[in-house]
């Protein structure tokens, strides 16, 4: 890939980008894909492309990486935060409660790779005529009823940063949709709001994708199903080995999760983390602070977020990636059991 890109010298938006966009839209079962320079850009440009801005409200979850709320706020719109369910995803009843005359979109996040209760959101979307934007940054490869994450709403946004399921060797993101007019606005917004490289139709920033990253992503897409399968098997082994009271909510019928993370819900989390670390096991909390409790968002509208407040203190992600062995999964599971036996 490197030599090919060096040879043709079109470092940004070269043919690798177009080939990647073709492959990615096919994978997601969508008509159009625009490659961009990050998942944050993908969210921001998609919302901007929907003409969302000052005076508008966008409903979203309270538990996500802060990029979700930031993308809304950077358009000038106000994020409105909802409670979550035990599967860590936005609660549709909470979302419906928060709808006002100003609501312009519902930004759902398929958190940890688990598909949001999408049937409920589609019916809310139809009932109120409010489009759904999917933050699928953690859900590449997750499937529900044979449809991929990112293919349910009006527009789907992805991150391919090095932590994600499909990962570049740097920053990368993508936007998918079936709406040609939206796609065309997104393509303009991706580069300073210009059409034909000269005429500017709307102020915007630069969010283009590098040819090198696109070429790497194209190569990695070939092996990604195999990788996802391994990770899913790792998750299933944890499901068997760990105490039922701490494992993630089971997959629904017709749901296949790509397990961006395997997130358990535990008591005495900080002590457990410390103990596991002393056993040589790295764990992570994604994320420590609810978005609505971050300083810039303290005054934004929010529903009663009791469940989110309770759960955010308990979540802990344990190693599930494709390189971990069965023995290591047994070791992690036994170490967790050992900790709770001690206390
Ligand atoms: C990673 C992530 C993003 C942002 O993606 P970047 O490529 O890092 O900008 C947005 N939303 C969620 C849920 C994420 O996990």
């Amino acid at each position: 890939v490197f030599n090919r890109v060096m040879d043709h010298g079109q470092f940004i938006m070269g043919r690798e980008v177009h080939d990647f966009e073709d492959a990615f839209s096919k994978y997601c079962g969508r008509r159009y894909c625009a490659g961009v320079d990050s998942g944050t850009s993908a969210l921001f440009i998609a919302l901007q492309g929907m003409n969302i801005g000052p005076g508008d409200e966008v409903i979203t979850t309270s538990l996500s990486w802060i990029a979700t709320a930031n993308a809304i706020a950077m358009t000038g719109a106000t994020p409105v935060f909802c409670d979550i369910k035990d599967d860590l995803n936005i609660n549709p009843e909470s979302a419906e409660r928060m709808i006002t005359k100003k609501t312009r979109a519902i930004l759902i996040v398929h958190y940890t790779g688990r598909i949001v209760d999408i049937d409920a959101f589609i019916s809310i979307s139809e009932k109120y005529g409010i489009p759904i934007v999917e933050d699928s940054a953690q859900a590449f490869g997750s499937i529900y009823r044979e449809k991929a994450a990112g293919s349910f709403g009006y527009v789907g946004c992805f991150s391919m940063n090095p932590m994600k399921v499909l990962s570049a060797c740097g920053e990368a993101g993508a936007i998918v949709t079936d709406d040609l007019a939206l796609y065309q606005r997104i393509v303009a917004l991706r580069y300073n709001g210009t059409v034909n490289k000269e005429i500017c139709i709307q102020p915007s920033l630069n969010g283009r994708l590098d040819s090198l990253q696109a070429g790497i992503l194209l190569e990695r897409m070939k092996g990604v199903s195999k990788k996802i399968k391994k990770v899913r098997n790792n998750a299933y082994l944890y499901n068997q080995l760990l105490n039922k009271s701490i494992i993630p909510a089971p997959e629904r019928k017709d749901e296949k999760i790509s397990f961006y993370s395997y997130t358990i819900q535990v008591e005495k989390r900080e002590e457990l983390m410390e103990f596991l670390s002393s056993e040589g096991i790295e764990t992570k909390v994604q994320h420590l602070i609810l978005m609505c409790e971050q300083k810039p968002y303290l005054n934004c509208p929010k529903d009663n977020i009791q469940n989110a407040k309770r759960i955010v203190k308990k979540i802990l992600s344990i190693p599930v990636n494709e390189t971990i062995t069965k023995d290591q999964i047994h070791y992690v599971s036994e170490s967790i059991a050992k900790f709770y036996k001690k206390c």
Side-chain angles (χ1 to χ4, degrees):
V1 175
F2 182 76
N3 288 336
R4 184 152 31 91
V5 173
M6 283 319 223
D7 273 350
H8 69 58
Q10 246 203 314
F11 297 117
I12 305 161
M13 300 301 300
R15 63 170 178 267
E16 287 79 9
V17 173
H18 302 285
D19 292 348
F20 164 73
E21 290 172 339
D22 277 350
F24 199 88
S25 58
K26 280 203 188 80
Y27 186 96
C28 296
R30 293 236 106 158
R31 246 180 234 137
Y32 309 105
C33 169
V36 291
D37 64 350
S38 75
T40 310
S41 277
L43 290 165
F44 174 61
I45 292 172
L47 295 171
Q48 225 193 345
M50 294 164 72
N51 297 314
I52 288 169
D56 297 334
E57 291 178 355
V58 176
I59 290 174
T60 193
T61 180
S62 47
L63 178 61
S64 179
W65 170 230
I66 197 66
T68 309
N70 286 347
I72 298 169
M74 290 304 288
T75 67
T78 302
V80 174
F81 298 100
C82 296
D83 204 8
I84 60 170
K85 299 208 288 186
D86 289 348
D87 67 358
L88 309 184
N89 273 335
I90 179 169
N91 183 334
E93 286 159 27
S94 175
E96 188 167 8
R97 266 198 297 278
M98 298 310 286
I99 291 174
T100 69
K101 280 202 185 76
K102 294 181 186 168
T103 308
R104 293 288 316 280
I106 302 177
L107 174 47
I108 58 174
V109 182
H110 303 299
Y111 206 61
T112 71
R114 178 174 301 271
I115 303 280
V116 162
D117 183 354
I118 196 70
D119 298 330
F121 278 96
I122 287 170
S123 59
I124 291 171
S125 171
E126 284 168 358
K127 184 168 160 193
Y128 296 91
I130 298 169
I132 288 174
V133 180
E134 292 174 77
D135 181 343
S136 302
Q138 304 190 357
F140 178 86
S142 286
I143 286 165
Y144 179 60
R145 292 212 186 119
E146 294 179 13
K147 284 184 63 161
S151 71
F152 299 103
Y154 178 52
V155 54
C157 302
F158 291 84
S159 163
M160 286 85 72
N161 85 25
M163 280 173 63
K164 308 294 177 174
V165 174
L166 174 66
S167 55
C169 298
E171 306 276 16
I175 307 167
V176 294
T177 184
D178 292 332
D179 183 339
L180 177 62
L182 175 66
Y183 167 73
Q184 287 169 335
R185 281 197 299 278
I186 284 169
V187 168
L189 290 167
R190 169 170 69 177
Y191 195 52
N192 283 286
T194 54
V195 287
N196 304 328
K197 298 253 159 73
E198 272 307 327
I199 311 215
C200 178
I201 54 164
Q202 193 178 337
S204 183
L205 300 171
N206 179 3
R208 292 180 301 177
L209 179 59
D210 288 344
S211 308
L212 201 52
Q213 298 303 345
I216 289 164
L217 288 166
L218 256 177
E219 283 304 309
R220 290 193 167 174
M221 275 182 82
K222 292 175 193 159
V224 77
S225 299
K226 220 166 146 188
K227 171 181 167 180
I228 291 171
K229 209 167 163 188
K230 272 194 195 154
V231 174
R232 283 167 53 78
N233 284 334
N234 290 344
Y236 291 156
L237 187 54
Y238 275 130
N239 284 347
Q240 285 172 24
L241 296 173
L242 292 173
N243 191 305
K244 288 281 168 290
S245 65
I246 66 167
I247 65 173
E251 286 179 319
R252 285 168 292 164
K253 193 172 168 288
D254 302 327
E255 186 184 30
K256 282 184 160 182
I257 305 166
S258 56
F259 289 98
Y260 165 74
S261 72
Y262 188 92
T263 300
I264 55 178
Q265 292 180 35
V266 295
E267 307 296 332
K268 297 193 171 49
R269 177 180 66 193
E270 271 62 36
E271 287 117 293
L272 174 62
M273 275 184 93
E274 213 167 286
F275 175 73
L276 292 177
S277 166
S278 74
E279 298 273 285
I281 299 164
E282 188 192 8
T283 58
K284 270 193 241 155
V285 178
Q286 282 173 319
H287 291 279
L288 261 182
I289 304 170
L290 296 173
M291 293 193 297
C292 49
E293 295 186 336
Q294 297 274 14
K295 204 168 166 200
Y297 300 111
L298 288 175
N299 295 323
C300 289
K302 60 171 182 281
D303 196 16
N304 178 350
I305 52 158
Q306 239 172 351
N307 217 30
K309 277 185 169 162
R310 179 178 63 81
I311 290 175
V312 76
K313 296 195 188 99
K314 296 172 67 176
I315 49 176
L316 184 66
S317 304
I318 59 178
V320 73
N321 63 64
E322 77 280 12
T323 58
I324 187 172
T325 64
K326 282 204 171 86
D327 285 347
Q328 288 171 324
I329 291 170
H330 278 270
Y331 176 68
V332 173
S333 306
E334 280 154 22
S335 298
I336 293 171
K338 198 158 110 192
F339 172 79
Y340 286 106
K341 217 169 273 164
K342 274 203 319 194
C343 52

